[in-house]
Amino acid sequence: MNPPKYPASSVTPTQDTLFRHGRSISSEGSSAVAGPRVGLQAPFRDGREGRSMSNVNPIFGPRGSSLAQGPPPGGFSPDLKTMTTPRSGTPRTEQGPFFSDYRPRDNERTSEQRQTDLRDQISKETKIKIGSENLLEALTSKNAKQAKEQRTRVETELGSSNRKIMELTTQLEDEIERSKRPNTPPRSRLSAIFQGSPMKSPQDNDASTQEGNPAMEESPTFVLSEILQALENEGMQPDYYVERANRLVDLFKKYPSLKYDLAWPIFGLRVQIMLLSQSREVVAAGYRVTRHAITDRRSLQTIRSLNTDELVMLSLVKESKANIEREQALKFVRAFLDVKGGFHEISNIVLRTIVAIAEHHEDRLRNISTLTLLELLIRNPTKVVDAGGMASLTQALLDGSYPGSEGLASAILFLFDKPNDRLHLKSCHELDAAFTVFTDPITVHSSEEKLKASASVIIALLHSWPGLYSVSNDGFAAIKGLLLSLAYPSLLARDVILDIVNAVLQIKAPSWSSSFLAGRRLTTYGRVANLKKEESPPSTANTSEDEEETRISLNEHYLALLLAVLVQSGLPRVLCTLVQEEEAESALRRKATLLHGEMLNMANRLLPQKYSSTLQVLSRLVVADDFKPANTPLHHISMTYQIDSVSRTLYRSQVASKHPFDTTAQYKQQHTSRVFHSTRQQADYDMDEIKFRAAIVDTQILSHANFLKWDWNLIEELIDGPLKNPKRLNEAITGTKFLKRLLGFYRPFKYRFSGTLNTKLNQRYVRVGVSLMKSLLQSNEGIAYLWDSKFLRQLGECLSQIDRTSGFFADEPLFSNWRTSSTLTGGYFSLLGALSSDPKGLQMFERWHMINISYHIIDLRDRDDLIELLLGNMDFTLDSHLRVMLSKALTASHKHIRIFSTKLLRKYAIQAPRSETGSQSPSSVCEWAIRLLVTQLYDPEVEVSEVAVQILEESCHWKSHLEYVVSCRPQLDHLNNIGAPLLLRFLSTSLGYQYLDRLDYITQEMDDWFLGRNNSYVTLVEANLSRGFSTSLIDTLQSQANEPSIPQGHPALPPHFYRELTRTKEGCDLLHDSGHFDKFVTTIRDTWTEHEDQEAMVKLKGCLWAVGNIGSMELGASFLDDSDVVKWIVQIAEQSKVATIRGTAFFVLGLISRSLHGMEIITEHGWLTATDYYGRSIGYCLPPALGVFFSLNIEPKPADGGASRSRVKGIPPRPIADKDPVHARILESVASTGNTVLTKKAAGELNTLKTRHLEAFSSVELYRKVRDMLGRYRFHLPVRRFVLDLFNRSVIREVVLDEEESESESVQTERPMGSRPSPL
């Protein structure tokens, strides 16, 4: 059969016209090489076209479709089929079922990707919402008539953002829930495209999808044989072979076990024929089929015996017009990394080619080649170093072109950790390249993207032990250079450097920072911060008196060390210099002032006295010997005042709320605030009649019916002050219409409050309403007025509209889904919540049947928003029907509401115990919450039990709460590891110890920890540390009902069994009898110098953490006296060769310093401990000399033999000897092309030699010697392409399809030592 004359990869001329302007879907959904839509023209073949595809003219697709830089010069579909769109670029859906799968499908993407997209969309909509609210707040100061139209547009946009946020949040919750459920793999886009192939008619596509299709029920072995037999046909169009190859891939995916029984002599021959085709689509299909046939390392050896290394090398060096083939070839190589031990089968010639691509800046496969080198660097660093890959990785880190710069730095840090891996680094200063962008006076003026990319690398370095040791060598030279770069007159670079310091020290900008940087004074912002904090509920970690321990944060201990390093590197000096610089921007100087104040605050809190005492004296601004205003520059005095003002403001607004150790400062701040506010409220309470009437008139309530003209700030002051006085309240009720109009504003049927849009600014109406309810409940006059008002009656009627048993119906209920989300209607539940905190308010509930209505609301299955509003705003302090209603929601609702209700119990379960009289003391409320939480432990959904365990664990910080939880005798066996933290808490009291001992839990758990859990604890702690220093921030959206959540901050140290065990005398006796502590000490003493065996190093870290947790308790510190383990830990921290082991020892010393006896032992060894105002250790200790602590010997030593190391240093290529003089000249010229200076001359000589001795370039022996040179030495990608294009195509065919002995010789050249070739 003669092939058709039209030059297209289709069957009919009509398809030829359609395919000539086609677009194709690029790589598979899991690939990172190509983007989702890349255009590619169907190939036009003629007799002159070689395998280099030099005559193909591709049509380019849209930009941004690949990880590589620049627009993609071509693309391909996962099935490698051409695709069609009209000339206009708009998809033509009428062309058949094929185009129904053109668009990307959501189910092809992973759940993590969909969650990330949803979070990004939520973040975007949240920013739009915040901007709209700020603009709306600004428009309130304008004339109402002038800004009416603009306000309408902004309110519309704000409502749209609120709806989108609710929808996206619901979708995100559903996606998270869906990801936790096991499901069947979704139908892939590949199968869809295959079934909708243009090679089939629509009738065939429909028939192939029907159930019971005989073709789909045939034996897979028969189908495989049929496909392989079809591939034997020669002279067919490229799409013929591509179609069969796609069917073969589909078969492997549907029947994975089929590829284990392949007859490789037959299958391998078909693959070789495809890879030798002149069509790039056929070659790409061959790589794809071979990639899906991989099973294990033995299959890789069999595939390599087909001489695929030669073919992959030739494909990768081709020009960008052959990107279809190049991308599939690179995917084929990356598939080796997915097989256990498969990286050993990547040959040097292929790896050298990938390195050349990674070094070529203009290649679109550069980024994915760099990623391949990174993955291989982690698994086999020697292979990458010998291939010269470290140079390309370092260069990518230096120029900032690689998008994943943090991952690139992490891979290099992985080598820096252990001394054996450190040998693979050329100078161990590769990571200093990130600092060069700032320290070089030329590159410091680079683009913002490059500066920020380098900044992210620096932050990642300083937040890891290997990175900190690498930049702290040579007397902190790299850090000093970075700080001194603040002297360069580059505003952008200076700003980025200050951001780096803020990010490294994890300094969060206070709420008033933007105002301060804008040049405003700090006289009011500190007071506002204090007022906000005074209104918020007190932190439980700060108010506890019986709490036996404070929260342990290893991240803050590490920050203390970082701060000491920055201080010793000259941070205070450069900040003071920048503050004094008159030519600097005012905002930059204020930013440096704010950073200086934060630094002083952190130093006073975290550093030992030796480090912090000298910082408090601003020696650069104030000269103590001659401090006179006349002799001191004016800007020095101004900056000194600003630093002092910032420090005082930070002290008032942050210290007490963020750091539980500073109890003295907290008490002073709270006491001062209480005195201030009580004095002011007393003055307002005693306001005389004249001032009171004048204030009522000033509120504009009596003169204007429009509530937008009312002075709501003054209204709130009157409610919180004079209206709490029964006399003034009576005057407001009987003498004026002030209270009548104010309460009328909240009446539902007037649609004033209920019709107002739900914006940030309008939330003040809700706050005023809550204050009004609380004020009215404080006097008999107010209760009587509220009892007879129409407000509660109308509100009860509106609530009955959503009660299906009440008999009241409305076309659009007031509490409809739309109204509660878009207007302030949901604020009525906040007002009801204020009433629920008083017995009189509960009587009003019963009068208007709101209790019954609430029970029915809980039963609604389609109004989760209403249930959350109801439960989230009620006060359950009083023993009433509301508690029964909450108990019903905890047990009878669906999972989402049960989780929400469980979280509501947190604020009652963690209340500090106080001895008070009364029926509803905090202790009784806490016990009620604990009983409900214990019930939640048996919930059928694990997520609900997990939340209950978390809250109970937090409540158990107090001994009285812990004993009550133990008295409830919870059974946690069904929760496995989820309940382990709570059971460990039980060990901290004798009552809990006895309870667990009767369950035989302690001995089993002790054996479990001793035999393996200690090693698992190492991974858990290091993961927590990494998460604590993660730079990624996820916006957390709170619901309208202010859904309670666990406060976020630095991750706390995970609970350790031996730490909890040593809290009691019984536990210490058991530990002593077991002898585990002595075994830990022996392991530390015997293996502290270990730096090769990974398992031994993990065991050493586990023993260190066990000793540290034991020594952190006062009873456990007595074990330290019986051994010299602290001396060994100090020795490890100062002399170990492994950076992470040093860091573990550093943290362990901090744990030991938390106990009084442990602090004394550490002080005896010269280490410095940080203490609070009472002289108690806060668990942070630092070495006496940072230079000695960071003296890690990182100088690399030459490897044995020096052969591989010589290739790393980049010696010029040397020609391989040959007896034929012509071959020798060719080999010498090829070697010269590796020299940049001689490349052009050598290329001319090679062209001349090819013209005169054409037959020499048909020699297989010469080709193999050239190939050997390309695998040994460094050649740029264009040079490799030029050299290989010199040889005739017949040479490649002879090498791949030669007789058996030639094949075995070729394979043996590249095969790693010790591996055996698999038979064909």
Side-chain angles (χ1 to χ4, degrees):
M1 179 185 294
N2 295 327
K5 298 179 181 180
Y6 43 85
S9 54
S10 64
V11 181
T12 65
T14 305
Q15 290 177 344
D16 172 39
T17 305
L18 189 62
F19 281 97
R20 195 178 300 276
H21 308 286
R23 290 199 299 180
S24 66
I25 298 177
S26 65
S27 63
E28 296 159 322
S30 59
S31 171
V33 178
R37 298 180 181 177
V38 182
L40 178 68
Q41 184 184 7
F44 183 90
R45 312 292 187 209
D46 60 18
R48 297 173 298 173
E49 184 183 6
R51 185 150 183 265
S52 63
M53 306 299 171
S54 59
N55 295 325
V56 177
N57 182 23
I59 294 177
F60 292 176
R63 292 180 180 268
S65 57
S66 175
L67 287 177
Q69 300 170 351
F76 59 94
S77 72
D79 291 334
L80 303 172
K81 293 187 178 69
T82 51
M83 299 183 60
T84 62
T85 53
R87 297 180 183 272
S88 61
T90 305
R92 295 170 57 180
T93 57
E94 67 274 6
Q95 296 298 332
F98 176 75
F99 293 96
S100 63
D101 297 303
Y102 181 81
R103 299 178 182 86
R105 297 190 177 191
D106 187 64
N107 59 0
E108 295 172 4
R109 309 174 65 232
T110 62
S111 177
E112 291 77 7
Q113 291 174 331
R114 291 192 292 269
Q115 292 179 30
T116 301
D117 290 346
L118 289 172
R119 288 190 176 97
D120 292 341
Q121 295 178 37
I122 291 175
S123 176
K124 178 181 177 181
E125 293 297 333
T126 303
K127 293 177 181 178
I128 296 176
K129 174 185 175 182
I130 294 174
S132 302
E133 289 175 344
N134 292 337
L135 181 57
L136 201 60
E137 187 173 357
L139 291 175
T140 56
S141 59
K142 295 185 178 181
N143 190 298
K145 294 183 179 180
Q146 296 177 355
K148 182 178 181 180
E149 183 179 355
Q150 192 172 3
R151 281 178 58 90
T152 303
R153 292 200 303 268
V154 174
E155 289 175 351
T156 303
E157 183 66 27
L158 183 59
S160 175
S161 297
N162 287 328
R163 287 192 297 272
K164 289 181 180 179
I165 289 175
M166 290 184 62
E167 294 173 359
L168 292 171
T169 304
T170 303
Q171 294 177 18
L172 178 60
E173 293 174 353
D174 294 342
E175 183 60 40
I176 293 175
E177 180 64 26
R178 192 182 305 115
S179 65
K180 297 178 180 179
R181 296 195 302 263
N183 52 3
T184 57
R187 176 172 175 262
S188 66
R189 181 177 61 181
L190 176 62
S191 60
I193 295 178
F194 170 70
Q195 293 176 5
S197 171
M199 297 295 295
K200 300 179 180 181
S201 64
Q203 291 81 4
D204 294 337
N205 293 332
D206 296 337
S208 64
T209 58
Q210 294 176 358
E211 295 183 3
N213 184 14
M216 300 301 293
E217 296 178 358
E218 291 178 343
S219 170
T221 306
F222 177 78
V223 176
L224 175 63
S225 302
E226 186 182 40
I227 295 175
L228 293 179
Q229 186 176 2
L231 290 174
E232 292 181 1
N233 298 332
E234 298 182 2
M236 306 300 290
Q237 289 295 318
D239 270 4
Y240 173 85
Y241 301 102
V242 171
E243 175 70 19
R244 271 63 185 176
N246 290 334
R247 290 179 59 191
L248 195 56
V249 170
D250 258 358
L251 195 64
F252 287 152
K253 288 184 176 181
K254 187 174 183 180
Y255 304 100
S257 61
L258 188 63
K259 53 189 174 184
Y260 290 91
D261 301 325
L262 285 175
W264 278 99
I266 301 175
F267 181 78
L269 181 61
R270 303 294 180 270
V271 167
Q272 285 179 319
I273 297 300
M274 292 184 68
L275 295 179
L276 287 171
S277 173
Q278 295 184 2
S279 169
R280 62 191 182 197
E281 286 88 355
V282 176
V283 176
Y287 283 124
R288 185 166 179 263
V289 169
T290 311
R291 171 161 56 92
H292 284 85
I294 296 175
T295 56
D296 51 16
R297 185 175 178 182
R298 184 175 180 82
S299 67
L300 293 178
Q301 295 171 356
T302 303
I303 291 172
R304 286 195 59 205
S305 67
L306 303 176
N307 296 307
T308 54
D309 292 344
E310 312 286 343
L311 299 167
V312 170
M313 173 191 66
L314 292 172
S315 298
L316 290 177
V317 300
K318 288 189 175 182
E319 295 180 355
S320 59
K321 63 181 68 176
N323 266 326
I324 292 178
E325 180 180 336
R326 299 179 70 226
E327 289 172 346
Q328 284 295 334
L330 189 55
K331 286 183 179 181
F332 170 69
V333 177
R334 287 181 56 80
F336 284 43
L337 302 176
D338 298 331
V339 178
K340 183 178 181 181
F343 58 87
H344 293 296
E345 299 300 327
I346 300 179
S347 62
N348 289 334
I349 183 65
V350 173
L351 188 56
R352 283 279 186 181
T353 308
I354 295 176
V355 171
I357 297 175
E359 292 176 347
H360 195 56
H361 290 269
E362 299 177 358
D363 199 296
R364 67 185 294 261
L365 298 182
R366 183 192 181 197
N367 288 335
I368 195 63
S369 299
T370 303
L371 178 62
T372 305
L373 292 177
L374 284 179
E375 296 178 6
L376 190 57
L377 181 68
I378 299 298
R379 302 178 183 183
N380 193 346
T382 303
K383 202 175 190 69
V384 177
V385 171
D386 290 347
M390 285 302 301
S392 63
L393 295 178
T394 306
Q395 184 61 33
L397 185 64
L398 178 61
D399 56 28
S401 59
Y402 183 65
S405 53
E406 294 94 340
L408 182 58
S410 300
I412 300 178
L413 288 177
F414 175 79
L415 299 182
F416 189 87
D417 187 24
K418 292 179 286 188
N420 288 345
D421 292 339
R422 233 172 276 148
L423 299 177
H424 300 295
L425 300 177
K426 186 175 181 180
S427 63
C428 290
H429 293 283
E430 284 81 1
L431 294 171
D432 291 350
F435 293 83
T436 307
V437 180
F438 297 97
T439 56
D440 192 337
I442 298 177
T443 60
V444 75
H445 300 283
S446 302
S447 62
E448 183 178 2
E449 292 77 10
K450 188 173 183 179
L451 291 175
K452 290 185 176 181
S454 299
S456 62
V457 174
I458 294 174
I459 295 170
L461 293 181
L462 295 179
H463 281 168
S464 68
W465 283 111
L468 184 57
Y469 273 100
S470 66
V471 301
S472 298
N473 198 31
D474 298 333
F476 311 104
I479 300 177
K480 290 180 180 178
L482 176 68
L483 296 178
L484 291 176
S485 300
L486 284 171
Y488 291 132
S490 173
L491 177 61
L492 179 60
R494 285 178 163 185
D495 189 66
V496 172
I497 292 174
L498 293 179
D499 290 338
I500 290 175
V501 178
N502 278 292
V504 166
L505 297 178
Q506 292 195 330
I507 296 175
K508 296 181 180 180
S511 58
W512 42 265
S513 60
S514 58
S515 301
F516 173 73
L517 295 179
R520 302 176 186 173
R521 296 180 62 186
L522 288 175
T523 53
T524 59
Y525 302 106
R527 188 180 306 143
V528 172
N530 288 333
L531 286 173
K532 291 181 179 180
K533 186 177 64 62
E534 180 70 14
E535 294 173 358
S536 61
S539 176
T540 58
N542 299 335
T543 58
S544 171
E545 296 179 359
D546 297 336
E547 188 177 3
E548 295 187 4
E549 65 166 349
T550 51
R551 195 166 176 267
I552 303 175
S553 174
L554 299 181
N555 294 76
E556 285 205 343
H557 192 188
Y558 188 84
L559 290 179
L561 180 63
L562 277 177
L563 180 59
V565 169
L566 291 174
V567 168
Q568 187 160 330
S569 300
L571 177 61
R573 177 172 50 84
V574 296
L575 288 180
C576 287
T577 303
L578 183 60
V579 167
Q580 297 176 44
E581 186 177 337
E582 298 181 357
E583 298 178 358
E585 294 287 337
S586 174
L588 188 67
R589 293 167 61 186
R590 282 180 165 264
K591 191 171 185 178
T593 302
L594 183 59
L595 177 57
H596 197 288
E598 292 276 9
M599 180 194 65
L600 296 178
N601 183 25
M602 289 186 64
N604 184 53
R605 180 172 52 86
L606 300 178
L607 295 184
Q609 189 175 3
K610 177 183 177 181
Y611 289 96
S612 63
S613 57
T614 57
L615 293 177
Q616 307 303 327
V617 181
L618 305 178
S619 58
R620 302 283 300 179
L621 297 177
V622 178
V623 181
D625 295 337
D626 188 20
F627 179 64
K628 298 179 180 179
N631 300 333
T632 305
L634 183 61
H635 65 273
H636 282 212
I637 299 177
S638 175
M639 289 299 105
T640 304
Y641 169 74
Q642 286 190 7
I643 291 175
D644 177 65
S645 179
V646 167
S647 299
R648 284 187 284 106
T649 308
L650 289 172
Y651 175 81
R652 291 195 303 266
S653 61
Q654 291 183 2
V655 172
S657 60
K658 289 179 61 177
H659 308 294
F661 306 115
D662 197 354
T663 55
T664 304
Q666 174 197 351
Y667 172 77
K668 291 181 178 178
Q669 188 271 336
Q670 291 182 351
H671 178 71
T672 304
S673 300
R674 284 197 299 267
V675 171
F676 173 78
H677 290 291
S678 61
T679 303
R680 180 176 179 179
Q681 291 176 1
Q682 184 64 32
D684 293 339
Y685 183 87
D686 296 332
M687 182 180 295
D688 58 22
E689 182 179 355
I690 297 177
K691 291 183 178 181
F692 178 66
R693 289 184 176 273
I696 288 179
V697 173
D698 292 340
T699 60
Q700 306 296 322
I701 290 181
L702 303 180
S703 56
H704 293 285
N706 187 358
F707 66 91
L708 294 177
K709 297 182 179 181
W710 296 354
D711 189 346
W712 287 95
N713 293 328
L714 181 57
I715 293 173
E716 189 172 8
E717 292 180 3
L718 289 176
I719 292 174
D720 292 336
L723 289 182
K724 291 183 178 180
N725 189 335
K727 184 177 180 180
R728 298 290 169 251
L729 178 62
N730 189 36
E731 293 178 5
I733 295 174
T734 59
T736 65
K737 294 184 179 181
F738 171 79
L739 205 58
K740 179 181 178 181
R741 291 190 176 182
L742 180 59
L743 196 59
F745 165 75
Y746 291 97
R747 282 166 56 182
F749 291 151
K750 285 195 173 183
Y751 296 102
R752 304 176 76 185
F753 175 79
S754 59
T756 306
L757 290 180
N758 183 15
T759 64
K760 181 180 178 181
L761 178 64
N762 292 341
Q763 286 295 320
R764 59 180 178 178
Y765 304 139
V766 180
R767 294 194 300 269
V768 172
V770 171
S771 299
L772 179 62
M773 296 297 109
K774 292 181 178 180
S775 295
L776 292 177
L777 289 174
Q778 292 185 8
S779 61
N780 295 329
E781 292 82 357
I783 294 174
Y785 184 79
L786 194 59
W787 185 274
D788 298 329
S789 68
K790 297 180 181 179
F791 165 70
L792 290 178
R793 183 177 60 193
Q794 292 184 5
L795 187 56
E797 183 178 347
C798 293
L799 286 173
S800 64
Q801 294 174 359
I802 56 177
D803 183 3
R804 296 165 184 170
T805 63
S806 64
F808 289 89
F809 299 98
D811 294 336
E812 186 180 357
L814 184 71
F815 290 97
S816 63
N817 198 347
W818 177 83
R819 283 186 173 274
T820 53
S821 61
S822 302
T823 67
L824 292 181
T825 304
Y828 281 119
F829 290 98
S830 299
L831 275 62
L832 293 177
L835 295 177
S836 65
S837 61
D838 190 272
K840 295 294 184 180
L842 293 176
Q843 293 179 9
M844 299 178 192
F845 275 36
E846 296 177 357
R847 181 187 182 190
W848 301 112
H849 309 288
M850 294 184 186
I851 296 294
N852 296 336
I853 297 174
S854 299
Y855 276 114
H856 296 153
I857 290 177
I858 298 296
D859 293 333
L860 297 176
R861 295 297 179 179
D862 56 345
R863 292 302 307 273
D864 289 353
D865 59 324
L866 209 61
I867 298 174
E868 290 181 1
L869 285 172
L870 175 63
L871 297 178
N873 288 284
M874 292 298 110
D875 191 337
F876 302 98
T877 304
L878 300 177
D879 189 3
S880 63
H881 279 281
L882 296 179
R883 288 190 177 184
V884 181
M885 184 176 61
L886 179 61
S887 301
K888 180 179 179 181
L890 287 168
T891 55
S893 300
H894 54 81
K895 187 179 72 172
H896 175 72
I897 297 299
R898 296 204 307 273
I899 293 177
F900 179 85
S901 304
T902 305
K903 291 181 179 180
L904 287 176
L905 294 172
R906 177 181 175 270
K907 77 174 183 178
Y908 304 103
I910 63 175
Q911 289 183 2
R914 295 189 299 270
S915 58
E916 297 181 4
T917 58
S919 59
Q920 295 298 326
S921 65
S923 298
S924 62
V925 175
C926 182
E927 291 174 359
W928 161 79
I930 289 176
R931 288 195 300 270
L932 292 180
L933 287 171
V934 171
T935 304
Q936 295 304 96
L937 295 176
Y938 313 110
D939 193 277
E941 295 292 341
V942 178
E943 291 85 350
V944 180
S945 303
E946 188 174 2
V947 174
V949 168
Q950 189 178 8
I951 298 175
L952 284 174
E953 183 188 1
E954 188 176 0
S955 178
C956 288
H957 279 117
W958 287 270
K959 184 177 180 180
S960 58
H961 295 177
L962 175 58
E963 292 178 348
Y964 187 78
V965 174
V966 174
S967 66
C968 294
R969 305 177 66 84
Q971 299 294 329
L972 302 175
D973 296 343
H974 62 289
L975 296 179
N976 297 326
N977 293 333
I978 296 178
L982 185 58
L983 289 175
L984 290 181
R985 283 287 182 187
F986 290 178
L987 289 174
S988 58
T989 62
S990 298
L991 182 62
Y993 181 91
Q994 296 171 6
Y995 171 68
L996 295 178
D997 189 35
R998 288 193 297 269
L999 298 176
D1000 198 21
Y1001 167 82
I1002 299 177
T1003 55
Q1004 295 180 8
E1005 191 73 5
M1006 176 179 284
D1007 294 339
D1008 194 13
W1009 275 82
F1010 183 75
L1011 296 177
R1013 293 278 291 279
N1014 263 334
N1015 299 345
S1016 304
Y1017 185 82
V1018 175
T1019 305
L1020 180 60
V1021 171
E1022 292 179 353
N1024 274 7
L1025 284 170
S1026 178
R1027 184 166 57 252
F1029 287 121
S1030 176
T1031 56
S1032 61
L1033 299 177
I1034 300 177
D1035 295 333
T1036 303
L1037 298 176
Q1038 297 293 339
S1039 64
Q1040 195 171 15
N1042 297 324
E1043 177 179 341
S1045 60
I1046 304 301
Q1048 300 295 324
H1050 291 306
L1053 181 68
H1056 197 285
F1057 173 79
Y1058 290 100
R1059 174 182 175 85
E1060 304 301 326
L1061 186 65
T1062 52
R1063 290 177 180 271
T1064 59
K1065 183 66 169 58
E1066 297 88 345
C1068 291
D1069 295 339
L1070 179 62
L1071 178 62
H1072 182 271
D1073 296 338
S1074 67
H1076 287 183
F1077 185 84
D1078 296 334
K1079 294 178 182 178
F1080 293 148
V1081 174
T1082 303
T1083 303
I1084 294 173
R1085 186 186 300 114
D1086 295 342
T1087 62
W1088 76 274
T1089 58
E1090 181 62 48
H1091 60 274
E1092 297 181 358
D1093 188 357
Q1094 181 65 27
E1095 186 176 345
M1097 288 189 292
V1098 172
K1099 185 177 181 180
L1100 173 61
K1101 292 180 182 179
C1103 294
L1104 286 172
W1105 284 117
V1107 171
N1109 279 279
I1110 292 173
S1112 64
M1113 305 306 300
E1114 293 296 340
L1115 295 177
S1118 60
F1119 288 89
L1120 303 176
D1121 286 333
D1122 301 332
S1123 63
D1124 54 353
V1125 65
V1126 176
K1127 182 190 72 174
W1128 290 102
I1129 297 176
V1130 171
Q1131 192 170 348
I1132 292 173
E1134 296 178 350
Q1135 300 179 18
S1136 178
K1137 297 180 181 180
V1138 183
T1140 53
I1141 291 181
R1142 281 195 175 195
T1144 302
F1146 172 80
F1147 287 133
V1148 168
L1149 290 174
L1151 285 176
I1152 294 176
S1153 69
R1154 296 182 67 85
S1155 63
L1156 180 60
H1157 191 59
M1159 182 177 65
E1160 294 174 354
I1161 298 176
I1162 288 179
T1163 306
E1164 292 175 0
H1165 286 83
W1167 280 55
L1168 308 173
T1169 59
T1171 59
D1172 60 7
Y1173 287 96
Y1174 298 102
R1176 299 174 301 190
S1177 173
I1178 58 176
Y1180 305 150
C1181 65
L1182 295 177
L1186 293 178
V1188 177
F1189 179 74
F1190 286 104
S1191 60
L1192 183 64
N1193 184 16
I1194 63 173
E1195 294 300 327
K1197 299 178 182 179
D1200 296 338
S1204 62
R1205 192 60 55 184
S1206 64
R1207 293 197 294 270
V1208 179
K1209 295 181 179 178
I1211 64 172
R1214 299 176 182 177
I1216 299 176
D1218 197 292
K1219 295 181 180 180
D1220 190 333
V1222 176
H1223 290 186
R1225 288 185 58 188
I1226 292 175
L1227 291 173
E1228 185 177 354
S1229 298
V1230 170
S1232 298
T1233 57
N1235 190 329
T1236 307
V1237 179
L1238 304 176
T1239 299
K1240 188 174 181 180
K1241 179 181 178 182
E1245 292 178 356
L1246 287 173
N1247 286 326
T1248 303
L1249 288 172
K1250 183 175 182 179
T1251 304
R1252 296 178 180 177
H1253 307 281
L1254 184 61
E1255 71 282 354
F1257 291 92
S1258 299
S1259 171
V1260 175
E1261 181 182 358
L1262 177 62
Y1263 169 79
R1264 286 175 175 166
K1265 289 185 177 182
V1266 171
R1267 189 274 315 270
D1268 190 34
M1269 291 180 59
L1270 295 178
R1272 288 186 180 183
Y1273 302 105
R1274 177 177 178 267
F1275 292 87
H1276 292 295
L1277 184 63
V1279 174
R1280 289 176 177 269
R1281 182 185 307 124
F1282 168 76
V1283 171
L1284 292 173
D1285 284 344
L1286 293 173
F1287 290 89
N1288 295 334
R1289 179 172 179 77
S1290 59
V1291 177
I1292 309 300
R1293 191 175 187 88
E1294 291 181 23
V1295 171
V1296 177
L1297 298 177
D1298 204 356
E1299 59 272 10
E1300 185 175 355
E1301 55 269 23
S1302 297
E1303 289 181 6
S1304 61
E1305 179 183 354
S1306 175
V1307 174
Q1308 189 65 29
T1309 303
E1310 289 294 337
R1311 189 171 304 283
M1313 185 177 299
S1315 60
R1316 295 181 299 175
S1318 301
L1320 289 175

